[in-house]
Amino acid sequence: MPKKTGKSRSSKQTKQRRQAKALAVRQDRTVHAVLKATQAALPTALEAGQFRVLTGVHEVVVTLEEIRQRVNTDLVPDGDMPLDDVEQVADMIREEAEMGLVVLHPDGLWRLPGEYLPAEPSLSGSR
């Protein structure tokens, strides 16, 4: 009688499919939880007019006015109309949150698009 050397391929494949499906469900739940937390916290952050973000290793507060100024710095040289007030910035951030570009992390810090963030300080000029 031949000796069995391990599980049959079909049972391995079944196990792999089952594990992949379980992983997909867990990831979907995580994404859904992050989206729900972002949607719940966004009105508060917009009302406060600021976001706590991590830039490199530094936690900073970025205000809607600072974001407006940074966006306008990019818009005006391209010949586009500048944003007149922070309410336009808030509308833009709401849209980007729906697309997943603005996210609240579980640690309470926000992830914003890079063009909204202050430049990282350079270490080359310091001693």
Side-chain angles (χ1 to χ4, degrees):
M1 185 179 270
K3 185 176 177 184
K4 279 194 164 184
T5 58
K7 291 184 176 182
S8 70
R9 287 190 188 271
S10 62
S11 65
K12 278 186 182 180
Q13 290 171 343
T14 302
K15 179 181 176 183
Q16 288 171 342
R17 274 190 241 118
R18 186 176 62 248
Q19 288 174 334
K21 184 177 178 182
L23 177 61
V25 167
R26 284 193 307 273
Q27 288 173 337
D28 186 48
R29 286 182 188 153
T30 301
V31 168
H32 181 69
V34 167
L35 179 61
K36 192 173 181 179
T38 298
Q39 291 171 342
L42 187 61
T44 304
L46 291 174
E47 185 177 321
Q50 62 187 23
F51 295 89
R52 284 183 32 233
V53 298
L54 191 64
T55 61
V57 295
H58 303 286
E59 182 181 321
V60 297
V61 174
V62 178
T63 67
L64 292 177
E65 179 59 29
E66 291 170 335
I67 293 171
R68 186 185 73 79
Q69 291 172 2
R70 288 186 186 101
V71 169
N72 282 346
T73 301
D74 291 338
L75 290 176
V76 173
D78 294 339
D80 295 324
M81 294 294 296
L83 300 175
D84 294 328
D85 58 25
V86 293
E87 191 54 42
Q88 289 178 310
V89 175
D91 291 341
M92 185 174 63
I93 289 175
R94 283 185 196 97
E95 290 175 17
E96 290 182 342
E98 290 175 11
M99 295 185 293
L101 299 174
V102 173
V103 177
L104 177 64
H105 285 269
D107 62 4
L109 298 175
W110 289 88
R111 185 185 79 215
L112 300 175
E115 61 267 16
Y116 297 170
L117 304 176
E120 267 299 302
S122 173
L123 298 177
S124 61
S126 63
R127 288 189 176 237

